[in-house]
């Protein structure tokens, strides 16, 4: 009998196929006495090394498949494994209570998770799940068990209570028709993965996983926000018809390849793609983006033991510029900090890292790191159409300091006789402070790129990673639209162009609004380029000069 469940779509689409139910296996560990505590501690040390290797592999896989933002969580897990307090607690329990390594790890994981969960700070509460995840991994490795969940041999709709980063990354993307989870947030790893893969996904779907069976047929309609198990013949036929319509729409989009992104009233709009590493370039070209509007340079700093050298950075930047063959590439200087922690930076712990020591603040406080990146960027500029933008700006003073450091690098390269070019330079507008002084900032830079993700959460005082606040988070809030309008007007007043590189840039419900405001450039996930081009080309309303 058909059963229909309602959920919250995080990527619209439709899928028809078998279900694979992924149920978490609770790690049950009995209290066992250990004869030799030091031998048990040795087992823990070996399991830690094995776990770190697994996490490094997951990091590299995630980096190549879903970009650095999603991969960074595995960096966090590796650091937590190495935490001295965590390891000391395990060793102490083994020695004083003479228990097995598995039991000590499981109890310590529970204790630390409860401690984090009891904290007032949302960011620290979220670490509870991370501690449980790494403790379960350690226990499984101690017991010699395989880790991870397999999706089966045939392509299917993945159904789960929720999915951790390690679980989603381990799944074979070719075998996933869609995602349906009981829990999760719009900004969860599952949601991000679905958007990157261009497959339908729903969260917050109230269902009893015990009543679902692997292999049963289901329809996932992320347009209507429904998940139907054991659908009727009529429901299957309707789903197939919808899928056919979507395929036809996708085929129609192909005619926009090679076409100029221009409104019906003649306004040219630049349509670029956001990428996380060099490996994303083929997707940019395949989807016919005009260039790269956001190249996150952090991938060069993550997943390693020390800072990347100037030569390493230079070769990476040159490679992307040469591959893009004269198309614009906008590289954002490093945005380390907040949820992207890197051990060797020595940033330390912060109560509120999203508003802490991050991005351009690190660059200005540790100019030797900044100069190395700037030298690589200026040298690479010789090989293509490079623009550089600086994140998390809040004042004219910061821009002046950046310009001073750039001049110092220019003088150094000139003195050394090293070929270089000064690229176009802009800033990201992602703080309310930058919005309010955008008139003054526009006179100091070549362009603005609005980072709507951070701008929205800072303006609304809402952590977008906090699922409890999903009902309050409104990316379409009139305050955000007014800010975008203000920034655009101030940029144009001084003859500068303005783009949007945050999630809102791909929001088709706002495309016409952005055209009316007069936004000059949109940078989106490669999979959204042709959909956005179609809508822009069909726009015929009023547009500012």
């Amino acid at each position: 009998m058909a059963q229909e469940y309602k959920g919250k779509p995080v990527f619209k689409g439709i899928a028809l196929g078998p279900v694979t139910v992924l149920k978490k296996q609770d790690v049950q560990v009995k209290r066992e006495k250990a004869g030799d505590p030091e031998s048990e501690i040795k087992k823990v040390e070996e399991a830690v090394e094995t776990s770190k290797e697994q996490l490094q592999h997951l990091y590299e896989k995630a980096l190549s498949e879903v970009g650095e933002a999603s991969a960074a969580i595995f960096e966090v897990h590796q650091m937590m494994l190495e935490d001295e307090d965590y390891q000391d607690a395990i060793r102490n329990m083994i020695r004083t209570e003479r228990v097995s390594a598995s039991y000590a790890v499981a109890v310590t994981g529970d204790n630390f998770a409860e401690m984090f969960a009891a904290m007032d700070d949302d960011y620290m509460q979220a670490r509870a799940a991370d501690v449980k995840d790494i403790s379960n991994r350690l226990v499984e490795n101690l017991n010699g068990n395989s880790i991870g969940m397999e999706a089966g041999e045939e392509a299917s709709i993945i159904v789960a209570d929720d999915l951790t980063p390690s679980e989603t990354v381990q799944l074979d993307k070719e075998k996933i028709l869609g995602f349906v989870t009981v829990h999760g947030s719009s900004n969860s790893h599952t949601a991000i993965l679905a958007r990157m893969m261009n497959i339908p996904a729903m969260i917050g779907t109230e269902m009893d996983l015990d009543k679902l069976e692997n292999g049963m047929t289901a329809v996932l309609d992320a347009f209507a926000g429904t998940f139907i198990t054991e659908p009727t013949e009529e429901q299957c036929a309707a789903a197939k018809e919808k899928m056919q319509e979507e395929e036809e729409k996708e085929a129609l989009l192909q005619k926009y390849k090679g076409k100029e992104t221009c409104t019906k009233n003649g306004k040219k709009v630049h349509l670029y793609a956001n990428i996380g590493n060099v490996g994303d370039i083929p997707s940019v070209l395949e989807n016919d983006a005009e260039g790269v509007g956001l190249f996150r340079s952090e991938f060069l700093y993550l997943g390693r033991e020390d800072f990347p050298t100037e030569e390493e950075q230079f070769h990476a930047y040159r490679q992307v510029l040469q591959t893009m063959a004269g198309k614009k590439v906008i590289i954002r200087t490093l945005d380390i900090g907040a949820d992207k922690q890197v051990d060797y930076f020595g940033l330390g712990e912060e109560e509120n890292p999203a508003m802490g020591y991050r991005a351009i603040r690190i660059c200005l406080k540790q100019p030797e790191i900044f100069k190395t990146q700037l030298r690589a960027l200026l040298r690479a500029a010789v090989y293509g159409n490079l623009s550089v933008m600086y994140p998390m700006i809040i004042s004219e003073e910061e821009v002046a300091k950046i310009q001073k450091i750039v001049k110092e690098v220019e003088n150094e390269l000139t003195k050394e006789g090293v070929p270089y070019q000064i690229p176009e330079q802009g800033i990201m507008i992602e703080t309310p402070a930058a919005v309010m002084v955008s008139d003054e900032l526009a006179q100091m830079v070549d362009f603005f790129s609005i980072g709507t993700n951070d701008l929205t959460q800072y303006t609304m005082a809402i952590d977008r990673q906090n699922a409890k606040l999903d009902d309050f988070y409104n990316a379409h809030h009139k305050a955000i639209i007014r800010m975008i309008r203000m920034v655009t007007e101030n940029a144009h007043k001084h003859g500068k162009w303005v783009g949007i590189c945050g999630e809102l840039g791909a929001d088709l419900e706002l495309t016409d609004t952005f055209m009316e405001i007069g936004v000059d450039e949109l940078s989106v996930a490669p999979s959204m380029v042709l959909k956005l081009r179609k809508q822009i080309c069909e726009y015929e309303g009023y547009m500012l000069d």
Side-chain angles (χ1 to χ4, degrees), residues 4-9 12-14 202 220-228 242:
E4 181 174 312
Y5 306 93
K6 289 287 187 179
K8 179 180 179 181
K12 293 181 178 178
I14 188 162
M202 283 196 332
L220 166 57
D221 187 343
F223 291 105
T226 59
F227 177 60
I228 305 171
K242 265 191 176 183

Side-chain angles (χ1 to χ4, degrees), residues 218-236:
V219 172
L220 166 57
D221 187 343
F223 291 105
T226 59
F227 177 60
I228 305 171
T229 57
E230 297 184 317
T232 64
E233 288 185 12
E234 290 79 7
Q235 288 171 324
C236 285

Side-chain angles (χ1 to χ4, degrees), residues 56-355:
Q56 181 61 29
H57 174 72
L58 288 174
Y59 169 80
E60 292 167 357
K61 189 172 188 289
L63 194 63
S64 64
E65 292 181 357
V66 294
E68 54 84 19
S70 302
I73 185 62
F74 300 113
E75 284 282 301
V76 174
H77 283 201
Q78 287 183 69
M79 288 190 296
M80 294 180 84
L81 268 177
E82 296 171 339
D83 183 78
E84 280 300 316
D85 291 333
Y86 175 72
Q87 292 196 16
D88 283 346
I90 295 171
R91 287 191 288 261
N92 183 63
M93 179 173 285
I94 292 173
R95 286 178 175 137
T96 58
E97 301 185 31
R98 301 186 76 84
V99 292
S100 67
S102 295
Y103 184 77
V105 169
V107 172
T108 301
D110 287 343
N111 290 342
F112 271 66
E114 288 176 14
M115 178 181 67
F116 280 120
M119 293 182 179
D120 293 330
D121 184 77
D122 290 331
Y123 177 82
M124 299 310 290
Q125 287 176 0
R127 302 285 70 77
D130 293 327
V131 173
K132 287 289 291 181
D133 202 8
I134 64 170
S135 295
N136 287 345
R137 178 176 294 278
L138 270 180
V139 170
E140 296 289 11
N141 282 321
L142 281 164
N143 294 337
N145 298 333
S146 61
I147 297 174
M149 302 190 292
E150 294 298 326
E153 289 303 314
E154 61 178 330
S156 60
I157 300 170
I158 305 299
V159 182
D161 181 72
D162 199 2
L163 292 167
T164 67
S166 56
E167 288 163 352
T168 48
V169 169
Q170 285 180 88
L171 295 172
D172 184 349
K173 292 196 300 184
E174 299 300 317
K175 298 176 182 176
I176 304 174
L177 298 176
F179 286 121
V180 184
T181 64
V182 177
H183 297 101
S185 75
S186 300
N187 296 292
S188 67
H189 187 86
T190 306
I192 293 169
L193 184 66
R195 289 193 284 267
M196 290 294 292
M197 294 168 59
N198 203 21
I199 60 173
M202 283 196 332
I203 61 170
T205 313
E206 293 188 10
M207 55 188 171
D208 185 349
L209 296 182
D210 290 331
K211 293 183 179 179
L212 304 183
E213 297 178 5
N214 285 333
M216 69 190 310
T217 302
V219 172
L220 166 57
D221 187 343
F223 291 105
T226 59
F227 177 60
I228 305 171
T229 57
E230 297 184 317
T232 64
E233 288 185 12
E234 290 79 7
Q235 288 171 324
C236 285
K240 289 177 181 177
E241 187 176 340
K242 265 191 176 183
M243 291 168 68
Q244 179 66 30
E245 289 174 2
E246 287 306 304
E247 288 177 10
E248 289 172 0
K249 287 180 184 177
E250 191 64 34
L252 285 173
L253 285 178
Q254 298 305 307
K255 75 177 185 179
Y256 286 91
K257 278 192 174 182
K259 190 171 182 178
E260 187 177 41
T261 309
C262 187
T263 65
K264 284 188 174 181
N265 55 6
K267 171 69 175 181
K268 165 72 177 164
V269 179
H270 294 290
L271 186 50
Y272 300 149
N274 297 334
I275 64 173
N277 55 65
V278 179
D280 293 335
I281 292 296
S283 184
V284 174
L285 299 174
E286 179 185 346
N287 288 280
D288 197 38
E290 298 170 37
V292 173
L294 170 60
F295 179 38
R296 305 176 180 93
S297 64
E298 297 85 62
F299 87 96
L300 289 165
Y301 295 80
L302 298 169
R304 50 189 301 139
E305 300 297 323
D306 203 354
F307 296 98
T309 66
E310 178 184 328
E311 288 304 311
E312 287 176 305
Q313 295 188 61
F314 166 66
H315 287 299
Y317 303 146
R318 183 178 64 179
Q319 181 182 355
V320 70
L321 285 164
Q322 289 176 328
T323 305
M324 290 304 293
K327 293 182 177 179
K328 185 182 287 292
V329 175
I330 304 175
I331 298 179
R332 181 181 69 189
T333 56
L334 70 93
D335 190 5
I336 295 295
D339 59 339
K340 289 172 279 190
Q341 294 291 319
V342 180
D343 229 12
Y344 59 84
F345 270 75
L347 302 181
E349 293 185 7
E350 295 179 292
E351 288 189 11
N352 195 346
M355 293 189 178

